[in-house]
């Protein structure tokens, strides 16, 4: 399998550090808002990468952090007048619900930044000891002049670096590659948010969080670090500087970055206001499977231009695959013309060949549609035997371990909430707690769901 490595700017043969184990870190969300579908394009890229590694027989250990302390989460919690924890937990929960809706495989660990302050302090202390970090009036900074490789990931010219000049904010652009904050001393604007540590009272910068959480769970070096292209600079550049600076060894072997989802030529983003959340789209009637298909079907290094028309087409494409799978199960036994097996083998091989080539999903999907086209022809001509239909079904299910489109419940968060209420109402009825059962019936009514109790159990009717 070959993958494009942002660090070397080359497509390379992928070789894990240890046998068939792959240690994978993907930068997770900053939990200060609903994630939008641009964010989910990046998470789906991570999902496809992981699923394909598993398909190839690797054991993947996947860590995804949750950034629950940074400039944005503090500002958000203050605006809502709730504690940082209450604020971020709410959005973390929404995030997990959305992952479920999109059939994204769960990571093995979701470490939270606020629970790894000690690990961050340890790295900062090492950097101070080595003279790579220094103290200033408002915090502890990383001296980019003291790390020889600074700029290697983003391809920065030495001439464009401004060492000695300091940036306190977590986000800034390439034009101002400066000394960045590792630790921000407490300031009254941060209110209740601070940790008292041996390096002073304050809070971490954003970049140190991922250095600490990735190596704690995956070691150093580890195999693959992934995220959206906007994270190359400064976030990932700074992670390299911190981890390699502190520990004197390579941080990560392969860096993979997915291009953005764009709308009318601009990156979908919260700040531009041109975003759709997953909830907006499912409420408009787009199926989760369709949205998943849309987000996975463009090669990850190409920008994905989002339109509602494309979302409709993707919904159709996802249905085509599901229907085909159903038809194979229902295919009438027929006499084979002997062609099916070779077609299945050929298309499965070309699916793998495409995926082996830096996850070339558009070519891989062309093989899937090629397979469906050929076998549909055989089924229509009644030339597909039962045994061949079974082989075709196995092949499409194998492919679907990567795509994640089949057997898709197509449930939205709203459906899940309704299921949960129905389950609670049944529990109450079993306990003869009629008051609670009626309360839930009323709550469902507010959601336009009418419950009728029949002999076969409760039945629901949706009203508009
Ligand atoms: P954030 O919550 O802003 O830290 O972003 C979380 C992830 O979403 C990061 O990996 C970003 O690179 C990614 N991301 C943000 N906007 C987009 C977009 N329009 N298209 C694709 N990925 C994005
Ligand atoms: Zn990160």
């Amino acid at each position: 399998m070959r993958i494009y490595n942002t660090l070397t700017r080359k497509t390379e043969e992928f070789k894990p550090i240890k046998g068939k184990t792959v240690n994978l870190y993907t930068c997770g969300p900053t939990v200060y808002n609903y994630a939008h579908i641009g964010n989910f394009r990046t998470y789906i890229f991570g999902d496809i990468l992981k699923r394909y590694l598993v398909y190839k027989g690797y054991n993947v250990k996947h860590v995804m952090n949750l950034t629950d302390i940074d400039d944005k989460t503090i500002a958000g919690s203050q605006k809502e007048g709730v504690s940082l924890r209450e604020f971020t937990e709410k959005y973390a929960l929404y995030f997990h619900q959305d992952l479920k809706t999109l059939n994204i495989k769960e990571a093995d660990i979701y470490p939270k930044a606020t629970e790894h302050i000690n690990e961050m302090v340890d790295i900062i202390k090492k950097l101070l000891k080595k003279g790579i970090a220094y103290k200033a009036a408002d915090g502890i900074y990383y001296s980019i002049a003291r790390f020889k490789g600074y700029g290697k990931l983003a391809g920065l010219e030495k001439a464009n670096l401004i060492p000695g000049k300091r940036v306190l904010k977590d986000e800034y652009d390439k034009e101002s590659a400066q000394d960045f904050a590792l630790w921000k001393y407490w300031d009254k604007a941060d209110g209740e948010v601070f940790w008292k540590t041996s390096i002073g009272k304050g809070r971490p910068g954003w970049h140190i969080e991922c250095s600490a959480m990735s190596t704690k769970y995956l070691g150093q070096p580890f195999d693959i670090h992934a995220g959206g292209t906007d994270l190359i600079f400064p976030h990932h550049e700074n992670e390299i500087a911190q981890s390699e600076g502190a520990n004197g060894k390579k941080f990560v072997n392969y860096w993979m970055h997915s291009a953005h989802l764009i709308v009318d030529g601009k990156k979908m983003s919260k700040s531009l206001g041109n975003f759709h959340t997953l909830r907006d789209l499912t409420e408009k009637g787009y199926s989760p499977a369709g949205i998943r298909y849309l987000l996975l079907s463009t090669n990850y290094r190409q920008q994905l231009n989002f339109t509602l028309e494309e979302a409709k087409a993707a919904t159709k494409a996802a249905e085509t695959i599901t229907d085909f799978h159903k038809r194979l199960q229902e295919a009438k036994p027929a006499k084979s013309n002997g062609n099916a097996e070779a077609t299945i083998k050929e298309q499965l091989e070309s699916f793998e060949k495409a995926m082996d080539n830096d996850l070339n999903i558009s070519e891989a999907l062309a093989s899937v549609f090629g397979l469906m086209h050929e076998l549909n022809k055989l089924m229509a001509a009644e030339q597909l035997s039962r045994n061949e239909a079974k082989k075709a079904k196995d092949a499409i299910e194998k492919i679907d371990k990567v795509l994640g489109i089949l057997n898709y419940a197509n449930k939205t968060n709203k459906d899940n909430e309704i299921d949960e209420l129905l389950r609670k109402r049944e529990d109450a009825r079993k306990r003869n707690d009629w008051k609670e059962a009626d309360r839930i019936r009323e709550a469902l009514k507010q959601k336009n769901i009418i419950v009728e109790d029949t002999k076969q159990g409760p039945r629901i009717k949706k009203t508009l």
Side-chain angles (χ1 to χ4, degrees), residues 27-30 36 38-39 41-43 72 227-228 230-231 259-261 267-268:
C27 284
T30 305
H36 57 66
N39 301 127
R41 186 204 185 186
T42 296
Y43 301 128
K72 291 188 287 200
D230 56 326
L231 297 187
H260 285 142
L261 181 144
K267 175 186 165 193
M268 179 176 279

Side-chain angles (χ1 to χ4, degrees), residues 4-12 152-153 250 253:
Y4 181 83
N5 188 350
T6 311
L7 187 64
T8 58
R9 289 163 187 75
K10 284 193 187 94
T11 306
E12 299 170 0
K152 63 183 172 184
L153 183 72
K250 196 171 185 190
N253 283 347

Side-chain angles (χ1 to χ4, degrees), residues 25-28 65 67 206-207 209-211 225-226 231 235-236 239:
Y25 186 87
T26 53
C27 284
N65 70 295
T67 297
W206 170 35
H207 317 296
E209 300 181 4
C210 283
S211 274
H225 194 315
L231 297 187
H235 188 52
H236 291 162
E239 280 186 45

Side-chain angles (χ1 to χ4, degrees), residues 122-136 139-150 163-166 178-183 208 220 237-249:
D122 284 347
I123 300 177
I124 297 170
K125 276 175 151 171
K126 277 189 196 164
L127 291 169
L128 281 168
K129 204 164 160 206
K130 289 189 168 181
I132 300 174
Y134 62 92
K135 294 180 180 171
I140 301 177
Y141 286 84
Y142 190 101
S143 167
I144 59 172
R146 298 297 305 272
F147 180 63
K148 214 165 80 236
Y150 196 81
K165 197 158 177 240
R166 292 190 283 272
Q178 308 174 9
D179 291 356
F180 59 91
L182 297 162
W183 187 257
I208 194 73
Q220 183 172 338
E237 191 70 59
N238 291 352
E239 280 186 45
I240 295 177
Q242 293 162 161
S243 297
E244 298 193 356
N247 297 320
K249 54 184 173 186

Side-chain angles (χ1 to χ4, degrees), residues 220-358:
Q220 183 172 338
F222 63 91
D223 298 298
I224 306 177
H225 194 315
T229 46
D230 56 326
L231 297 187
I232 297 173
F233 187 87
H235 188 52
H236 291 162
E237 191 70 59
N238 291 352
E239 280 186 45
I240 295 177
Q242 293 162 161
S243 297
E244 298 193 356
N247 297 320
K249 54 184 173 186
K250 196 171 185 190
F251 176 40
V252 168
N253 283 347
Y254 301 88
W255 287 89
M256 295 179 77
H257 293 98
S258 60
H260 285 142
L261 181 144
I262 55 169
V263 187
D264 299 328
K266 294 202 183 76
K267 175 186 165 193
M268 179 176 279
S269 72
K270 281 164 201 155
S271 54
L272 289 177
N274 60 351
F275 64 93
H276 293 278
T277 63
L278 184 55
R279 284 143 211 265
D280 296 338
L281 291 179
T282 54
E283 266 157 38
K284 283 193 181 116
Y286 294 92
S287 77
I291 300 167
R292 178 176 170 90
Y293 187 90
L294 174 76
L295 296 177
L296 68 77
S297 54
T298 297
N299 289 352
Y300 78 93
R301 289 204 291 132
Q302 275 167 20
Q303 288 190 336
L304 165 61
N305 198 355
F306 177 81
T307 62
L308 290 173
E309 279 310 304
E310 293 285 335
K312 267 188 217 153
T315 301
K316 274 240 166 71
E319 276 168 14
T320 305
I321 299 176
T322 310
D323 289 348
F324 175 70
H325 181 246
K326 251 193 229 145
R327 220 169 311 128
L328 283 174
Q329 283 161 299
E330 294 159 3
K332 281 197 230 120
K335 197 168 156 23
S336 159
N337 74 347
N339 289 343
E341 276 197 46
T343 304
I344 295 167
K345 187 165 175 279
E346 195 182 300
Q347 300 291 14
L348 201 55
E349 274 170 12
S350 66
F351 171 83
E352 287 171 17
K353 197 167 155 227
M355 291 301 283
D356 280 343
N357 179 18
D358 195 29

